[in-house]
Amino acid sequence: MLHFDTISADIVKVPVLRNIQAELPPGSIIAVVGCNGAGKTTLLRAIMGFVKLRSGRILFDGTDLASVPAHNRTRLGIGYAPQERVMFPSLTVEENLRLPCQVSGFKKAAVDERLSMTLEVVPQLKDMLARSCAALSGGQGKIAALGRALMIGTRLVLLDEPFQGLAPALANQYSEALKRLQQTQPQLCILVTESNASLLKDVPDRTLHIERGALLPEQPKAPSRPDQPFSSLSLEAYS
Ligand SMILES: Nc1ncnc2c1ncn2[C@@H]1O[C@H](COP(=O)(O)OP(=O)(O)OP(=O)(O)O)[C@@H](O)[C@H]1O
Ligand SMILES: [Mg+2]
């Protein structure tokens, strides 16, 4: 579904993504975890076409995304909830949700259908539809941004640090929504970033770790017992 074929990217001539290789299958929730400045947002922005690659290719169902201009990538069924969750404050939540589908030329019936699917997955949005986006709290804004990404993201959904700053109750609602999404749309691939892996709990099927723009090798689970039990360590050196 999504294949990073040895991608590298620079921002103002500084390497920010380095030789990233990974295959993201459909029907999976993949987390990309790394500390601040590791390159998580840049990776998502590269998929959306907002960051130019220096080398490598991003293949989406076998198509090199370099051949698809950034403004057309959502039409492939890619939904994106950016870290700063830009919603139009002068529009209602419903208008914000409908917007990406309308811009992509969906007929009204198709937009209505996407909206009812989104409300099934994220029922909390029902009570927010008529509200102005300017009146949402930070957490409600994140839920609305998830809804907007789902409206257009029929194949791939990119969520940039969605759990950061969410109160525990909202975080639970958010992860339940992702699990419902996986059940209702089993072919969808969901890519979610976080700097704090513990916020993701059991949401991801697989976690990739990014450090200074490079993916770390995936490790099998560490053995629960150390190779050398502490009790057998020699204390002679300290005597
Ligand atoms: N517009 C920019 N101008 C200069 N450097 C940038 C810009 N955007 C990102 N960078 C640099 O690229 C690197 C990766 O940034 P990125 O935003 O992708 O990290 P991140 O993992 O998303 O971090 P965070 O957890 O803080 O969101 C950082 O070193 C950052 O300073
Ligand atoms: Mg970021």
Side-chain angles (χ1 to χ4, degrees):
M1 123 82 60
L2 190 72
H3 179 60
F4 297 114
D5 181 10
T6 333
I7 66 163
S8 295
D10 300 343
I11 296 182
V12 285
K13 297 190 179 164
V14 176
V16 173
L17 297 179
R18 303 161 195 260
N19 294 322
I20 289 194
Q21 290 194 59
E23 174 76 42
L24 278 47
S28 54
I29 302 183
I30 314 275
V32 175
V33 170
C35 60
N36 299 127
K40 305 178 296 293
T41 297
T42 307
L43 184 65
L44 300 192
R45 288 174 56 81
I47 298 168
M48 294 308 296
F50 304 144
V51 171
K52 199 167 172 286
L53 299 185
R54 174 163 45 78
S55 58
R57 301 178 305 165
I58 304 177
L59 302 174
F60 182 76
D61 287 340
T63 301
D64 186 348
L65 284 181
S67 65
V68 184
H71 64 270
N72 278 339
R73 293 198 190 179
T74 51
R75 285 174 213 259
L76 299 174
I78 305 177
Y80 177 39
Q83 192 166 359
E84 64 280 10
R85 63 180 187 282
V86 186
M87 306 287 282
F88 292 101
S90 57
L91 302 182
T92 65
V93 170
E94 180 168 350
E95 287 164 341
N96 266 287
L97 290 179
R98 288 179 176 273
L99 200 61
C101 293
Q102 289 166 338
V103 169
S104 295
F106 284 35
K107 295 219 162 74
K108 183 176 178 303
V111 186
D112 289 346
E113 196 182 310
R114 290 300 303 167
L115 184 60
S116 48
M117 182 286 297
T118 299
L119 295 177
E120 253 173 57
V121 172
V122 197
Q124 297 80 7
L125 282 171
K126 285 180 194 160
D127 292 337
M128 291 186 210
L129 287 178
R131 293 178 64 180
S132 154
C133 269
L136 300 182
S137 71
Q140 290 168 332
K142 288 216 167 191
I143 300 276
L146 168 66
R148 192 178 58 178
L150 302 190
M151 286 292 290
I152 195 84
T154 51
R155 307 295 323 285
L156 174 65
V157 170
L158 311 174
L159 306 171
D160 200 356
E161 303 219 32
F163 292 98
Q164 200 63 243
L166 277 190
L170 266 188
N172 282 341
Q173 289 177 9
Y174 203 108
S175 22
E176 279 161 20
L178 294 185
K179 285 175 187 164
R180 266 195 300 279
L181 184 62
Q182 212 177 14
Q183 281 159 8
T184 54
Q185 297 193 47
Q187 287 307 301
L188 187 70
C189 177
I190 303 169
L191 183 55
V192 48
T193 72
E194 270 310 332
S195 18
N196 181 352
S198 68
L199 296 178
L200 290 165
K201 297 193 179 144
D202 62 343
V203 169
D205 299 311
R206 183 173 147 212
T207 300
L208 305 172
H209 292 271
I210 187 167
E211 203 174 282
R212 276 171 285 161
L215 289 185
L216 302 182
E218 284 184 70
Q219 299 281 342
K221 280 200 169 168
S224 53
R225 212 165 54 86
D227 291 334
Q228 192 179 20
F230 181 73
S231 57
S232 73
L233 290 175
S234 166
L235 295 176
E236 277 168 23
Y238 300 95
S239 56

